[in-house]
Amino acid sequence: MTEPEPSFVPRITRHLTAAATDIAEAAAVLRAGGLVAFPTETVYGLGADARSAAAVAALYSAKQRPRFNPLIAHFATTEAALAQGSFSRDAAALAEAFWPGPLTLVVPAGPGCTIIDLARAGLSTVALRVPRHPVARSLLQAAGCPVVAPSANRSGRISPTQAAHVRAELDGRVDCILDGGPTEVGLESTIVACLRNPVLMRPGGMTRDALEAVLGHGLGSVDGKAEILAPGMLASHYAPTASVRLGATTVGPDEAVLDFGGQLRGAGADPYLDLSPSGDLVEAAANLFGYLRGLDAGVVAIAVAPIPIEGLGEAINDRLVRAAAPRPPQ
Ligand code: TXA
Ligand code: MG
C-alpha cells in the first residue's frame, strides 16, 4: 500500500524538547513549510502547514502515504476549527462538549476553509480536531496556521506514542521531533462524521458512550454507508512485522504473549507483556502500541488475550483486528 516517492528529500531530523524556545522554533519550521512531529494526547502527529501544497506533498512522501487518504487538520482553539466547516446541531454539540480532546469531526468544508484540496484528498468534507495536549496547543498557537497531522509513522505501521518511536519510523524524513514524553491516551482520536446523522467512522480515545450521552441518541456505524467510509480505514493497518493471533486462550510454543488482566500469565510465554494486569481498559489503551512495538522486535508471532469490547475496548479491539488482518502484497 505504498506509493513511489515523488518528492521525497532526505532531511536531518533534529530533537527538540517541550521548552518554550524549542516550541517556537518548531512553529517557525512549520511556517516555513517544514515537517514537525509533535505530541498530542492521543499519539504523535506529523505536522505540516495545511495551506501549503509543497509542505503537504512532502508530508505524504515522508510517510509513504497514499494520496487518496485525507488528513486531519489541527487547531489551537475550537473557534478556529469551527470557522473551517459547516456544523450541524449535532456536530456543534460534540465540538462544544469534547474540544479540546481526542475527537475528530468530519464536516462539510465551509466557505472559510483554508485546508488545501491535496490535504483533503479532493473531498468536499474536512476532518477537524482540537487537541488538548499542552505542547500541541502551544505549537498550534505559535504556528498560527491550520496544521494537518497524520500519526507520525510510516503508512500502515503502528502509531507512535513516544518520541523514540517517531525517530524509529521517520528519522531522516522529517525536520524535527518535539519530545513531550509518552502520550496519555495511546490510541488515535475517535472520528465522527457529521454529514447527515452522526456516524462513528473510527473508534478511538473518546468512547462511544460519552459521545452518545451528549447526542442523546445512538451513533450510526459505517457498515453499508460506503460513500462516507474513511479512505484510510484499510483492513490491514497498525501492522507489526510479527503475525498477530487474537482471542488467544492458549499459547503456542513460539508465540510471544500480549495479555490483559493476567488471563495468560500461567502459560509461561517469553516474551510476555500484560496491557493491564488489573484489567483497566484506560491503562491498556495507553500501553497498546508501545507493547506491540516492543514485542515485535524479535518474535515471529504474538498471541493476544481476549479484551472486552466496552468503553475504550471498542477502539483497542478495532486496532488489534487491523494489526491481525492479512497484509497487502508489498
Ligand atoms: O489522534 C489522531 O487522530 C492522530 C493525531 C496525530 O491527531 N491523527 C491520526 O491521523 O490518527 P491519521 O492520518 O493517522 O488518521 C486520520 C484518519 C484517516 O483514516 C483518514 O482517512 C480519515 O482520518 N479522514 C481524514 N479526513 C477525512 C474526511 N474528510 N473524510 C473521511 N475520513 C477522513
Ligand atoms: Mg495513522
Side-chain angles (χ1 to χ4, degrees):
M1 271 299 146
T2 56
E3 282 196 332
E5 304 186 32
S7 56
F8 173 66
V9 181
R11 293 162 194 242
I12 294 169
T13 303
R14 295 172 54 211
H15 184 94
L16 296 176
T17 71
T21 47
D22 279 14
I23 293 175
E25 207 164 322
V29 171
L30 279 176
R31 279 199 306 273
L35 302 179
V36 174
F38 63 96
T40 79
E41 69 276 19
T42 57
V43 299
Y44 275 74
L46 177 59
D49 182 344
R51 305 164 308 178
S52 161
V56 174
L59 188 157
Y60 276 102
S61 292
K63 262 193 70 110
Q64 298 170 297
R65 180 179 177 108
R67 286 165 193 240
F68 59 77
N69 190 358
L71 304 169
I72 299 172
H74 296 64
F75 298 85
T77 64
T78 299
E79 195 186 13
L82 292 176
Q84 297 281 330
S86 304
F87 283 69
S88 63
R89 182 197 296 246
D90 281 336
L94 293 175
E96 159 82 13
F98 297 115
W99 281 349
L103 174 68
T104 294
L105 294 173
V106 173
V107 299
C113 183
T114 52
I115 299 147
I116 59 166
D117 262 17
L118 177 60
R120 289 160 36 204
L123 298 173
S124 60
T125 55
V126 64
L128 306 170
R129 163 154 143 73
V130 182
R132 69 168 179 236
H133 193 293
V135 173
R137 301 197 75 189
S138 305
L139 176 70
L140 294 166
Q141 192 75 53
C145 60
V147 172
V148 279
S151 49
N153 50 277
R154 295 208 196 188
S155 188
R157 303 238 327 127
I158 301 170
S159 297
T161 54
Q162 297 178 26
H165 300 164
V166 179
R167 190 165 285 279
E169 293 282 328
L170 295 173
D171 193 21
R173 308 178 76 90
V174 306
D175 295 300
C176 50
I177 302 171
L178 257 185
D179 189 346
T183 62
E184 172 201 341
V185 177
L187 297 170
E188 299 84 350
S189 60
T190 300
I191 303 180
V192 175
C194 297
L195 304 179
R196 284 181 286 275
N197 292 325
V199 168
L200 180 65
M201 299 180 77
R202 177 177 76 181
M206 184 63 66
T207 63
R208 176 193 286 274
D209 287 352
L211 296 161
E212 291 180 344
V214 164
L215 290 171
H217 58 81
L219 273 171
S221 82
V222 283
D223 305 339
K225 297 207 169 77
E227 85 270 20
I228 50 144
L229 269 177
M233 301 314 279
L234 306 171
S236 172
H237 211 76
Y238 312 99
T241 309
S243 67
V244 176
R245 184 169 69 87
L246 303 182
T249 50
T250 58
V251 182
D254 297 325
E255 284 182 319
V257 163
L258 186 61
D259 205 357
F260 177 77
Q263 299 171 80
L264 300 172
R265 195 186 296 132
D270 180 27
Y272 170 92
L273 290 174
D274 194 331
L275 289 167
S276 172
S278 67
D280 175 0
L281 289 165
V282 175
E283 180 183 29
N287 287 330
L288 178 66
F289 289 148
Y291 281 13
L292 267 180
R293 212 173 257 281
L295 288 178
D296 197 29
V299 305
V300 293
I302 303 171
V304 185
I307 297 174
I309 204 98
E310 78 253 14
L312 285 180
E314 183 175 10
I316 294 171
N317 279 288
D318 171 84
R319 303 305 187 270
L320 285 169
V321 166
R322 290 174 208 283
R327 315 287 156 78
Q330 290 295 316

